[in-house]
């Protein structure tokens, strides 16, 4: 053991280091985020490149990056989000809340990769081999050949990966991995950083791809230092509303592909299944005769997806009416209600408003404003929206309806699913064979919905 150790305090949000504890991190302003970290001299030393030799410069013309093909996981949605499979030697971080299905996704992924003849090691730090086996038994996958290693010590994991000649290593999770060279429990910021750094070095030296599972904090970031997201090549988030079975895999960072793409899965009794037709899945169970329901088209990356918005407005029994929104930021709902009250004369001040987006989808684009407003008007007037109609447009503070990017692609997806009419901004130039109802201002909506 090295003779000298010292203590530093590191911010779990931004990774800034301080010699003394403080309540607030000066660098990022986070409160109560500083954690003690014991540093030994040995651990803080940067090792020389592979083989202990100094690195040599290489001419870029002599680098043949495209010669190594990507490793396909066999899960189409995952390959798509990664930008066409796993790049050898890359490090991919997969974040998500507990129970969302990270381990399930990666076990399925391990089974498929191993099945395609690429040696894969699944290091299980969170669960025993028996627990992993129980999960495997539920899945509709050929899991028998997968190597599961019940190990949390990072150097032991990389050593095993080398002796097994694994091309893909899955570490479930980075918060349980550990090195003896640092003091402090697994999950501690210093441990997470050092273990991630060693796995990164291993990936780059050996050309092995490393997939790390990371837990997310209450704030939605990956637990441990933010710097973890900076050092890895790709960050994916696995998301979903607890109450339903749809799961969305989203790239937040991707050195080897686009960050806009999403993959959509459904959690079934036999693991995760890709959802080939998300629009149809999100619209299933829709009752077209009920007032307060409107369909809009979102862009999830480059793919348009149709979702249903449900609104219910009811006379309030309180001095301050209630606003409850699932799948929409409550501030956006407040803005749209104020616009409808002032610009279209609808009396929302004495109505409770409940809003729900089906399928657990979140409306982040303003393109869905017209859909939200249409659902609200339909609920207040107690008249269902016209059948087979979608609503696409942004609503401004003046009540004006503005055009949105990708309108044609959204309308094409609607047409594919049997919709034949679209309410769109009168200011845009929507084309296609679907009928359009141009809307200039939200005050026209009530009359046009009744027509
Ligand atoms: P898990 O992969 O353990 O989540 P994470 O690793 O993100 O914590 O998945 C947990 C949930 O998924 C659990 O509540 C059970 C459910 N599940 C299914 O519904 N079907 C299945 O086939 C499997 C394996 C899990
Ligand atoms: Mg897990």
């Amino acid at each position: 053991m090295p003779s000298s150790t010292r203590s530093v305090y590191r911010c779990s949000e931004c990774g800034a280091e301080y010699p003394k504890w403080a309540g607030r991190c000066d660098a990022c302003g986070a409160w109560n985020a500083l954690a003690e970290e014991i540093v030994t001299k040995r651990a803080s030393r940067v090792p020389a490149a592979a083989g202990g030799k100094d690195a040599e410069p290489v001419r870029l013309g002599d680098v043949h990056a495209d010669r190594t093909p990507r490793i396909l996981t066999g899960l189409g949605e995952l390959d798509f989000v990664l930008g066409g499979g796993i790049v050898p030697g890359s490090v991919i971080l997969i974040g998500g809340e507990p129970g969302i299905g990270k381990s399930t996704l990666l076990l399925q992924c391990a089974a498929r990769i191993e099945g395609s003849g690429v040696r894969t090691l699944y290091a299980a730090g969170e669960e025993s081999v028996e627990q992993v086996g129980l999960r495997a038994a539920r899945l509709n996958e050929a899991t028998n050949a997968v190597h599961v290693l019940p190990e949390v010590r990072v150097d032991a994991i990389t050593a095993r990966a080398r002796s097994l000649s694994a091309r893909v290593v899955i570490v479930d999770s980075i918060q349980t991995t550990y090195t003896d060279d640092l003091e402090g429990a697994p999950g501690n910021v210093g441990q997470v950083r050092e273990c991630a750094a060693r796995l990164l070095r291993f990936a780059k030296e050996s050309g092995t791809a490393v997939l790390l599972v990371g837990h997310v904090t209450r704030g939605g970031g990956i637990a441990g230092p933010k710097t973890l997201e900076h050092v890895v090549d790709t960050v994916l988030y696995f998301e979903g509303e607890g109450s339903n079975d749809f799961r969305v895999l989203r790239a937040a960072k991707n050195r080897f592909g686009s960050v806009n793409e999403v993959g959509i899965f459904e959690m079934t009794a036999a693991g995760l299944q890709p959802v080939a037709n998300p629009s149809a899945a999100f619209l299933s169970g829709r009752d077209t005769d009920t007032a307060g329901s409107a369909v809009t088209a979102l862009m999830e990356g480059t793919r348009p997806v149709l979702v249903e918005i449900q609104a219910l407005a009811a006379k309030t029994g309180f001095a301050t009416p209630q606003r409850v929104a699932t799948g929409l930021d409550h501030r956006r709902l407040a803005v749209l209600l104020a616009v409808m009250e002032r610009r279209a004369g609808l009396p929302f001040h004495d109505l409770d408003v409940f809003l729900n987006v089906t399928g657990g989808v979140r409306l982040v684009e303003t393109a869905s404003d017209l859909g939200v407003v249409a659902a609200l008007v339909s609920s207040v007037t107690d008249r269902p929206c016209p059948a087979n109609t979608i609503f696409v447009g942004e609503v401004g503070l003046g009540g004006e309806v503005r055009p949105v990017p990708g309108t044609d692609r959204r309308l094409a997806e609607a047409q594919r699913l049997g919709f034949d009419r679209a309410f769109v901004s009168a200011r845009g130039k929507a084309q296609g064979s679907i009928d359009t109802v141009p809307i200039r201002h939200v005050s026209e909506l009530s009359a046009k919905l009744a027509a």
Side-chain angles (χ1 to χ4, degrees), residues 147-359:
H147 288 79
V148 180
L149 179 70
E151 180 62 80
V152 293
R153 289 170 304 143
V154 65
D155 295 331
I157 295 172
T158 52
R160 273 293 172 200
R162 281 187 211 276
S163 65
L164 208 63
S165 307
R167 306 305 303 144
V168 177
V169 176
I170 293 166
V171 179
D172 189 0
S173 66
I174 187 66
Q175 276 86 12
T176 52
T177 34
Y178 176 78
T179 169
D180 284 335
D181 295 342
L182 287 186
E183 287 176 35
N188 155 313
V189 186
Q191 287 283 0
V192 170
R193 268 166 63 99
E194 181 61 22
C195 291
R198 289 186 189 194
L199 288 165
L200 190 83
R201 221 177 293 137
F202 162 73
K204 303 297 166 196
E205 280 170 21
S206 63
T208 306
V210 176
L211 279 71
L212 302 174
V213 171
H215 292 287
V216 299
T217 60
R218 266 172 301 149
I222 290 177
K226 256 273 181 262
T227 46
L228 201 57
E229 295 191 18
H230 300 311
V231 295
V232 301
D233 298 302
T234 302
V235 180
L236 306 181
Y237 278 99
F238 205 33
E239 303 166 344
E241 290 285 330
S243 54
N244 78 57
D245 296 329
F246 292 113
R247 301 283 183 268
V248 176
L249 187 68
R250 198 180 292 278
K253 164 180 174 178
N254 195 351
R255 284 189 182 146
F256 310 113
S258 155
V259 289
N260 294 316
E261 301 302 356
V262 300
I264 299 170
F265 294 90
E266 187 174 4
M267 182 61 96
T268 69
L272 292 156
Q273 304 297 331
V275 177
N277 194 343
S279 299
F282 291 154
L283 293 183
S284 67
R286 188 169 61 103
D287 184 356
T288 48
D289 303 332
T290 313
S293 157
V295 175
T296 189
L298 313 172
M299 292 302 287
E300 289 286 8
T302 52
R303 297 195 285 194
V305 174
L306 301 194
V307 294
E308 180 191 0
I309 301 167
Q310 296 179 318
L312 182 65
K315 264 258 172 305
T316 184
F318 301 98
T320 315
Q322 298 186 71
R323 270 77 177 101
V324 181
T326 313
L328 176 70
D329 180 26
H330 65 273
R331 283 166 302 190
R332 190 70 200 154
L333 176 62
V335 168
L336 293 174
L337 289 174
V339 169
M340 293 307 286
E341 173 116 25
R342 285 294 306 278
R343 311 294 181 194
L346 291 175
F348 284 111
H349 61 271
D350 60 359
L351 296 176
D352 285 335
V353 173
F354 306 95
L355 195 103
N356 183 28
V357 183
T358 59

Side-chain angles (χ1 to χ4, degrees), residues 98-99 101-104 122 126-127 135 172-173 213 215:
K102 302 179 294 297
S103 303
T104 307
Y122 183 102
E126 305 234 309
E127 291 157 316
R135 178 179 295 113
D172 189 0
S173 66
V213 171
H215 292 287

Side-chain angles (χ1 to χ4, degrees), residues 71-77 79 109 112-113:
I71 301 164
L72 291 179
T73 67
L75 292 165
E77 296 287 296
D79 287 333
C109 176
R112 303 258 179 127
I113 300 175

Side-chain angles (χ1 to χ4, degrees), residues 4 18 335 404 451:
S4 75
Y18 300 92
V335 168
V404 294

